[in-house]
Amino acid sequence: MARQGHLQIDRVSKQFRVSGAPLHVLDAVDLSVAPGEFLTIVGASGCGKSTLLRLIAGLDTAFQGNVILDGQRVTAPSLDRGLVFQEPRLFPWLTVAQNVALGLLNAGLGKAARDRAVSEHIVLVGLDGFQDAYPHQLSGGMAQRAAIARGLVNRPGVLLLDEPLGALDALTRARLQDELQRIWAAEGITMLLVTHDVEEAVYLGDRVVVMAPRPGRIAAVFDVPHPRPRDRSSPALAGLRDQVLAALEATTSGPPPTGMVHIASRPALAEQVFLPAE
Amino acid sequence: MIRRRTLLTGLGTALATTRIARAEDPVTIRFGFANVGVDNRQFSGGNAIATAHAEHYIDNELKDLPGVKVEFAFFKGAGPAVNEAFANGQLDFASQGDLPQVIARANGLRTRQLAAGGAHAPMYLAVPPDSDIRGIRDLKGRKVAIFRGTNNHLSAVKVLAANGLSERDFQGINMDEASANAALVTHNIDAAFGNYGVLLLADQGLAKIAYTTKGDNPAFERQATLIAADSFVAKHPDLTQRVVTAVVKASYWSSQEENREAMFDIWARSGRPASVYRADFAGQALRYRNSPLIDDYLIEQYRVQGLQAKEYGLLRREVSVDGWFDPTFLNVALKQLGLEHYWTRYGADGKPQGGS
Amino acid sequence: MRAAAIPAPAWPAMPPGVIAVLFPLGLLALWSVSARFGWFPPQILPSPTEVGTALLDLARNGDLARNSGISLLRVVEGFTAGSFLGLLLGIAMGLSPKTEDYVKPLFTAFAQVPTLGWIPFLMLLVGIGEPLKILVIAKAAFVPVTLNTLAGIRAVPSIYVEVGALFRFSRWQLLRKVVLPAAIPPIFTGLRYGLTHAWNALVAVELLASAEGLGYLLVWGRQMFWLDTMMGAMVIIGIVGFTFDRIMAVIESRLQRWRLA
Amino acid sequence: MKRALRGTVLPILLLAAWESASHAHLVDPRILPPLELVAHTAVYQVTDEGLLRNLAASLLRDMAGFTLGTLAGIAIGTILGLSRIADRLFMPSFNGLRQIAILAWVPLISIWFGVGEAAKIVFIMAAALIPVVLNTYEGMRGASTQLVEVARTLTFTRWQLVTRLYLPSALPSIATGVHLALIYAWVANVGSEYFMTIGPGIGGLIIAGRERFQMDLVMLGILILGLVGFLINRGASAIEARLLRWRPV
């Protein structure tokens, strides 16, 4: 599979109707993600970050604008785009190996190739020895690893991660963050991680996108130029984290949603803002 | 297709993976009895058709046709069950009583009557030995078992009417013979209408007979005939002829007084002792009871049965006896066997007629 | 959680009630056509008009009201007796594990045999009169009511019981204020099952031994080869069963709402 | 141990009362036959009257009707549960029809399917079908939307969605339905032997016992009914546990 993973989000807007009134979940979002980039998205709840991910995944096609992956418009889910949810969402009646193998169901591989890919990815996420365990026998962190393996097993160009570590305890979470980073480096794929944890976003991302709610839109984009492996406690990262946090706070503490906020919040952060490329 | 089968039975049969209709020979003739022996013994009794079955008259008549077999089925549900089987195309021939036959015709079942087989049969009212019921009139307000839809039923209705009663004057409970016998013994009911089956209880001292149609108006008698599905007759007139001939032969044997005891013994294979049949036939000539003739008396009986069944609310619409009887096979058999004048023909008025 | 069904083609905008009757209407139409063209002999499938007429006749000559009344009365009597005993036994076993130890095995053995199996036994024991019918129906209601009452009481969350203990409730207070109110919804579920079972048992016992009632109407129709009457009786049996179920469902949902509140 | 002993007190008392009443002729021994007579009847039925053959006939018929009813029930329940159109069109009718007490179908089925095993099997099938349809339907409707999304991201086909997601996730519910179907089929089997044509079987045995006024035979039949019901129940629970071992306990 040619792995490129160049993702382009082109003036994407989406509305829901909430008791008759339109609610702008996404408003003219523009974003371009380079192949192999690790992009993280932070935002307050309701800013549409998860919705954006679902649109990219192709789960939801009722929107305006275009999502383009390697020149192809996204219209439906595809094995080129893996998605890992906040909950592991493992099929409870299948073992770990069978759950991972679900990802290859429509990949058109032979049985031997499939088995090999499954065990490789189980090893990759560090679940070796748990192939035959049922989901209810796994801890939260292990289940999430299995879900990540399932998302990766197709070797997708883009892996979309919707707060996959949100429900985990701090220790497990830190370990999985490193794990993710290692996998990303090893596989060289494009990753989009949605999170509400600014520290996580800064630690993992090449760029951090801050989204603002009502209407959901991109408020700011931060570059994280620090080389890997990164040190969690480095003052440089901490400084960046504070800036992102400040930007994030600005999106929620401001006056309620009008078109004004959109413009008002940007100049204040001008020096860090990178307008979406191209 | 040998047998007429409805779509549904076809499906049902396929489900049960029982016989599946084949396109050509061999033929299985399916013969039903509106009666079953004690403990579900596969024998009947009380008429010449039972003799024909027990003594293999029909099988013998078909001996030179290796592809043709006869299967006998005995219906605990009596006449109504036989009708259901005919409606499903699961029977070709049956020995059946008058009311079920009238009901079948009124509902448009395509069968015809080929010979008499158990005409002039009596009906009884059995009561517990210590009962104070001495006759039909005493039934008022009592709990009485009637097997509805059988020829006992119509006979009972007529007897009741003659005594100024109707089914509404007592608590009628619908029960088959075996249930009624059990209920009578346990005093669950006060009386039971029935055929020779109740004589078994009387024989054992468990009941006594409070009334019988014997010696009463012959119009109260129960009739029964050999019937066949129209479709079978049309398709296999030759086989039909053989079956009728076999029944006439059995009737002839069963009509000879010197065979009386032997015949009761044959019928006793049904589990009802010979004494029961002896009592049932006591005082009546075998030639009278076992005549296969379709005479004016029989036709008139069915005509009247139809009218009365309507009158007593057992039928919804008028029925006409036209086309019910088909004596052609019977006449051929009688001629073949030289028995044209052996049995007495009775007129519509019940009086003997001169030879035909 | 409700699953979004597999993406379904848009159905013409019609209220669900209308869609619901399309199938029965279609079936009825097919049935009429089949009767008109004689696809099935009328001895196997009478025409819908005949069934309708038979029902009307039954209604007009009073047979319907009389037989339904008799059946309903039997069910009410049997159900009341059976569920009352079931409640008593269920509560007794639920509150006293000792009682359960003594009674449960015998009860289980008794409940294991289907009601249908007990009918011939009871026929020999008490005859075929009204007591038989009441006993059979009562047995049918008794078993699910007992089991659900027992389960309902056992399922009362221990935290409630602990609260009661904290306030030094007496046994009686505990029963009245805590256990019974908490157990009412499952007990009612038992009553609902009990009524369904009772209705089924009524039909069984009336088919086997009766001179009146809706079950008897079926037998009568069968023996007289009146399929229209028979099918009419089936319709009535269905309607009564449906009504019972609806009534119980409405009461049940009321109780559930109260429990959530 | 103590608890188990308690459970035997009432049955022993009951049997003792029975035995003494029967021997003291307090009750007509035809109504309460002494227990040894029941035991004797049991032995006699097994050795001389082919009780086991009767039982085998009953069980075989039961299994045939149960299997057909269950398979049809799963198929119907799946379609009703997954297709909104089918649900709207047929479910209300199904809910209406199932309110007709199952035994009320006996006369109609006998007339439609005639005498013989076919009608009985159809009847048993109908009895087994109802709980399976209902539970399969509920199970399908209860499938997690979250897993449906996973399946969509993995580009499941419709068939894969049904076989890999809906059916397995409905399995616990289907198992409940099948379990009920086993019980209902057994009851319906007895009903078919009571009300349809006579054939070999345990129900026929009980009816014969009543007609011949042999309480011992009736009791033997009841005993067998209960025993078979119990074993069926146990077996179903075991299979259920095996099939659903992936569920957290």
Side-chain angles (χ1 to χ4, degrees):
Chain A
M1 198 179 297
R3 327 253 319 278
Q4 299 191 336
H6 179 213
L7 186 68
Q8 237 179 307
I9 292 154
D10 183 13
R11 296 203 67 78
V12 165
S13 299
K14 176 161 181 69
Q15 296 91 35
F16 286 135
R17 287 207 155 261
V18 177
S19 47
L23 177 75
H24 291 270
V25 190
L26 291 173
D27 189 24
V29 174
D30 274 316
L31 193 63
S32 176
V33 188
E37 183 176 359
F38 200 136
L39 185 89
T40 55
I41 303 174
V42 289
S45 42
C47 72
K49 53 190 193 295
S50 286
T51 305
L52 182 62
L53 224 52
R54 293 169 56 85
L55 298 188
I56 299 169
L59 281 177
D60 190 342
T61 50
F63 64 94
Q64 296 93 53
N66 289 313
V67 175
I68 292 159
L69 179 65
D70 297 329
Q72 289 279 25
R73 191 165 177 269
V74 166
T75 52
S78 145
L79 296 180
D80 300 340
R81 281 160 279 134
L83 178 58
V84 178
F85 298 89
Q86 179 169 9
E87 325 76 26
R89 299 198 183 183
L90 298 177
F91 287 30
W93 51 89
L94 298 181
T95 62
V96 167
Q98 288 166 336
N99 261 292
V100 175
L102 277 184
L104 293 172
L105 202 56
N106 295 312
L109 295 181
K111 184 174 165 15
R114 215 160 50 207
D115 288 351
R116 199 168 51 243
V118 168
S119 49
E120 272 171 23
H121 282 87
I122 287 175
V123 173
L124 184 70
V125 298
L127 276 181
D128 205 11
F130 289 91
Q131 284 89 336
D132 296 326
Y134 282 105
H136 73 90
Q137 298 167 315
L138 302 178
S139 69
M142 285 158 79
Q144 202 54 276
R145 284 166 190 262
I148 292 169
R150 185 175 63 191
L152 281 171
V153 74
N154 277 302
R155 308 180 73 83
V158 179
L159 185 65
L160 307 164
L161 300 134
D162 188 3
E163 297 190 42
L165 312 181
L168 302 177
D169 65 275
L171 208 63
T172 314
R173 188 170 178 158
R175 199 177 302 145
L176 272 183
Q177 284 168 357
D178 291 336
E179 222 39 84
L180 264 184
Q181 197 152 231
R182 183 179 61 74
I183 292 166
W184 167 73
E187 301 276 300
I189 59 177
T190 311
M191 281 199 185
L192 252 73
L193 173 80
V194 160
T195 177
H196 58 258
D197 179 350
V198 173
E199 196 171 297
E200 180 172 282
V202 171
Y203 179 62
L204 290 176
D206 290 332
R207 280 192 295 159
V208 178
V209 173
V210 178
M211 287 187 67
R214 274 168 273 164
R217 65 204 184 277
I218 292 175
V221 179
F222 295 83
D223 247 335
V224 189
H226 310 285
R228 299 171 208 257
R230 291 171 180 168
D231 180 2
R232 253 174 231 284
S233 51
S234 87
L237 273 188
L240 187 55
R241 184 196 65 202
D242 292 344
Q243 287 171 21
V244 173
L245 214 49
L248 190 60
E249 263 164 28
T251 63
T252 50
S253 57
T258 57
M260 237 174 62
V261 181
H262 183 72
I263 303 144
S265 60
R266 277 194 181 175
L269 300 156
E271 61 275 31
Q272 285 97 18
V273 168
F274 292 80
L275 287 172
E278 288 93 52
Chain B
M1 284 276 283
I2 290 167
R3 297 166 200 135
R4 179 182 67 93
R5 274 177 203 270
T6 64
L7 203 71
L8 282 172
T9 12
L11 175 70
T13 317
L15 277 175
T17 64
T18 49
R19 317 174 304 252
I20 288 167
R22 272 156 294 180
E24 260 326 311
D25 285 340
V27 181
T28 301
I29 298 174
R30 297 155 308 164
F31 203 115
F33 283 85
N35 188 293
V36 64
V38 176
D39 298 348
N40 201 28
R41 271 174 232 193
Q42 300 292 297
F43 283 99
S44 179
N47 60 45
I49 304 177
T51 312
H53 160 252
E55 288 294 289
H56 306 288
Y57 276 86
I58 300 171
D59 321 42
N60 287 337
E61 199 68 28
L62 299 164
K63 224 166 28 196
D64 56 327
L65 299 174
V68 181
K69 278 197 329 218
V70 197
E71 272 175 12
F72 294 96
F74 294 80
F75 291 88
K76 183 168 128 65
V82 169
N83 279 340
E84 281 178 16
F86 267 113
N88 272 294
Q90 290 182 319
L91 279 183
D92 304 315
F93 289 91
S95 154
Q96 194 183 39
D98 47 39
L99 179 59
Q101 172 64 12
V102 169
I103 288 172
R105 297 297 305 209
N107 284 288
L109 268 188
R110 301 225 163 255
T111 56
R112 62 181 86 175
Q113 311 190 57
L114 303 178
H120 307 291
M123 195 266 309
Y124 303 92
L125 178 72
V127 296
D130 53 353
S131 173
D132 57 351
I133 296 174
R134 312 244 172 268
I136 297 294
R137 280 171 217 270
D138 296 335
L139 290 178
K140 209 158 192 171
R142 302 300 187 101
K143 252 195 216 173
V144 184
I146 300 186
F147 194 176
R148 295 204 158 117
T150 66
N151 62 358
N152 294 313
H153 184 190
L154 186 56
S155 176
V157 169
K158 288 196 281 191
V159 170
L160 287 169
N163 286 277
L165 295 177
S166 84
E167 281 185 86
R168 302 228 178 232
D169 291 319
F170 52 79
Q171 204 187 329
I173 298 183
N174 180 45
M175 280 182 176
D176 61 24
E177 183 190 312
S179 301
N181 286 356
L184 204 60
V185 172
T186 53
H187 288 73
N188 262 311
I189 50 174
D190 300 314
F193 282 110
N195 54 20
Y196 53 84
V198 295
L199 294 178
L200 178 61
L201 295 182
D203 205 38
Q204 298 170 338
L206 295 168
K208 60 181 183 187
I209 303 302
Y211 166 81
T212 166
T213 57
K214 250 194 207 176
D216 204 340
N217 189 343
F220 300 159
E221 286 173 347
R222 300 179 299 118
Q223 317 295 334
T225 50
L226 170 71
I227 62 172
D230 280 0
S231 53
F232 185 88
V233 175
K235 191 160 178 62
H236 298 290
D238 49 332
L239 295 181
T240 308
Q241 183 61 59
R242 284 180 192 242
V243 171
V244 174
T245 304
V247 168
V248 172
K249 282 183 183 168
S251 302
Y252 175 57
W253 186 86
S254 305
S255 296
Q256 298 167 38
E257 289 298 336
E258 63 268 32
N259 295 335
R260 184 176 275 254
E261 281 306 311
M263 179 180 75
F264 294 154
D265 286 338
I266 290 167
W267 291 349
R269 290 179 209 164
S270 68
R272 297 181 189 91
S275 56
V276 163
Y277 297 110
R278 199 174 295 128
D280 188 47
F281 276 70
Q284 289 181 310
L286 294 185
R287 236 193 252 213
Y288 176 70
R289 292 281 300 266
N290 287 334
S291 161
L293 295 187
I294 297 175
D295 50 15
D296 292 347
Y297 164 81
L298 192 70
I299 297 174
E300 174 66 8
Q301 280 294 306
Y302 272 83
R303 194 184 66 77
V304 173
Q305 310 282 50
L307 289 177
Q308 291 183 326
K310 173 81 174 60
E311 191 180 322
Y312 300 130
L314 305 179
L315 290 184
R316 295 264 179 73
R317 49 197 106 152
E318 305 277 347
V319 286
S320 136
V321 289
D322 294 343
W324 287 19
F325 291 94
D326 181 354
T328 46
F329 299 98
L330 176 67
N331 291 339
V332 170
L334 290 174
K335 193 166 246 168
Q336 244 174 29
L337 301 170
L339 293 172
E340 287 122 306
H341 304 294
Y342 183 74
W343 289 284
T344 311
R345 289 187 179 275
Y346 292 85
D349 54 1
K351 303 233 167 70
Q353 285 178 331
S356 61
Chain C
M1 195 179 289
R2 271 273 283 99
I6 291 179
W11 183 260
M14 259 193 262
V18 176
I19 299 175
V21 298
L22 286 181
F23 176 63
L25 282 182
L27 215 58
L28 201 66
L30 193 69
W31 181 10
S32 307
V33 171
S34 133
R36 165 71 48 90
F37 293 101
W39 292 343
F40 294 102
Q43 302 85 35
I44 289 209
L45 190 66
S47 75
T49 12
E50 281 176 308
V51 175
T53 317
L55 264 177
L56 271 179
D57 281 350
L58 286 175
R60 226 179 270 136
N61 65 21
D63 276 354
L64 189 63
R66 195 169 50 85
N67 287 301
S68 309
I70 288 163
S71 289
L72 283 176
L73 188 67
R74 283 173 181 160
V75 167
V76 167
E77 288 175 355
F79 174 71
T80 310
S83 51
F84 180 71
L85 289 176
L87 281 174
L88 281 188
L89 185 64
I91 291 174
M93 288 200 291
L95 294 181
S96 150
K98 214 183 219 173
T99 310
E100 188 186 349
D101 287 349
Y102 280 111
V103 181
K104 191 77 182 293
L106 185 64
F107 173 82
T108 310
F110 170 73
Q112 198 68 62
V113 177
T115 310
L116 213 47
W118 288 111
I119 296 178
F121 178 82
L122 290 171
M123 274 177 164
L124 290 182
L125 220 54
V126 303
I128 52 167
E130 223 43 32
L132 169 76
K133 284 130 204 166
I134 306 303
L135 269 176
V136 168
I137 296 166
K139 185 267 163 189
F142 173 69
V143 172
V145 172
T146 306
L147 286 175
N148 278 276
T149 306
L150 172 61
I153 289 180
R154 282 293 149 79
V156 172
S158 57
I159 45 169
Y160 296 158
V161 180
E162 279 168 15
V163 170
L166 203 61
F167 291 112
R168 304 203 158 265
F169 280 10
S170 69
R171 241 187 130 88
W172 174 239
Q173 284 170 327
L174 196 70
L175 181 64
R176 272 198 44 206
K177 302 281 178 199
V178 182
V179 176
L180 281 186
I184 273 179
I187 288 176
F188 199 83
T189 307
L191 288 174
R192 187 176 171 186
Y193 283 135
L195 189 56
T196 310
H197 285 207
W199 187 238
N200 278 303
L202 170 98
V203 174
V205 75
E206 284 189 349
L207 281 175
L208 265 179
S210 183
E212 46 203 355
L214 289 170
Y216 170 70
L217 214 52
L218 275 178
V219 179
W220 169 238
R222 179 182 185 182
Q223 282 178 202
M224 301 314 293
F225 226 71
W226 296 344
L227 264 74
D228 41 10
T229 301
M230 216 177 78
M231 292 175 80
M234 283 177 73
V235 170
I236 301 298
I237 288 171
I239 290 175
V240 174
F242 183 77
T243 313
F244 276 161
D245 194 63
R246 283 327 301 161
I247 294 172
M248 296 304 262
V250 166
I251 302 177
E252 200 175 355
S253 72
R254 288 262 163 86
L255 286 175
Q256 296 289 353
R257 204 160 55 204
W258 159 84
R259 179 155 79 157
L260 290 176
Chain D
M1 193 59 221
K2 203 173 152 211
R3 296 190 57 195
L5 275 181
R6 279 176 181 165
T8 60
V9 172
L10 279 183
I12 287 174
L13 281 180
L14 189 73
L15 293 178
W18 179 306
E19 188 72 357
S20 44
S22 174
H23 280 283
H25 294 286
L26 291 177
V27 192
D28 186 341
R30 282 187 309 189
I31 289 183
L32 281 191
L35 295 168
E36 60 271 17
L37 180 61
V38 180
H40 178 261
T41 306
V43 172
Y44 172 73
Q45 285 287 331
V46 170
T47 52
D48 290 24
E49 295 275 326
L51 175 72
L52 296 179
R53 216 176 42 242
N54 269 342
L55 185 58
S58 273
L59 284 175
L60 203 68
R61 179 188 314 120
D62 180 44
M63 280 303 127
F66 162 77
T67 309
L68 289 170
T70 300
L71 292 180
I74 291 175
I76 296 172
T78 304
I79 293 167
L80 290 179
L82 293 185
S83 155
R84 246 181 61 161
I85 294 176
D87 178 25
R88 291 254 175 105
L89 268 177
F90 303 123
M91 204 56 196
S93 304
F94 177 79
N95 276 326
L97 279 178
R98 78 186 167 91
Q99 298 299 341
I100 298 177
I102 185 75
L103 284 168
W105 287 98
V106 166
L108 198 64
I109 289 179
S110 329
I111 287 177
W112 280 355
F113 295 91
V115 292
E117 289 294 289
K120 293 182 185 173
I121 290 176
V122 169
F123 177 63
I124 297 168
M125 189 177 136
L129 180 96
I130 294 170
V132 178
V133 170
L134 284 178
N135 281 281
T136 306
Y137 174 83
E138 289 300 330
M140 293 285 163
R141 311 273 296 203
S144 148
T145 35
Q146 296 199 332
L147 293 188
V148 173
E149 276 188 4
V150 172
R152 288 184 60 203
T153 62
L154 299 177
T155 65
F156 277 21
T157 60
R158 230 164 196 276
W159 176 246
Q160 286 169 339
L161 207 54
V162 173
T163 55
R164 309 235 170 203
L165 176 59
Y166 282 109
L167 272 177
S169 67
L171 208 56
S173 185
I174 293 175
T176 309
V178 172
H179 196 144
L180 283 174
L182 265 174
I183 297 170
Y184 287 16
W186 182 238
V187 176
N189 179 40
V190 178
S192 78
E193 292 178 14
Y194 278 15
F195 299 112
M196 294 179 172
T197 41
I198 281 281
I202 298 305
L205 189 78
I206 295 180
I207 290 288
R210 180 178 80 86
E211 283 170 355
R212 289 188 231 161
F213 213 72
Q214 273 184 266
M215 192 59 138
D216 46 332
L217 206 55
V218 172
M219 288 174 53
L220 176 65
I222 287 180
L223 211 65
I224 296 173
L225 275 192
L227 218 60
V228 172
F230 174 76
L231 291 177
I232 284 178
N233 223 335
R234 269 298 168 86
S237 297
I239 294 170
E240 217 173 320
R242 173 99 188 83
L243 271 178
L244 302 179
R245 65 188 182 287
W246 48 268
R247 273 205 303 193
V249 268

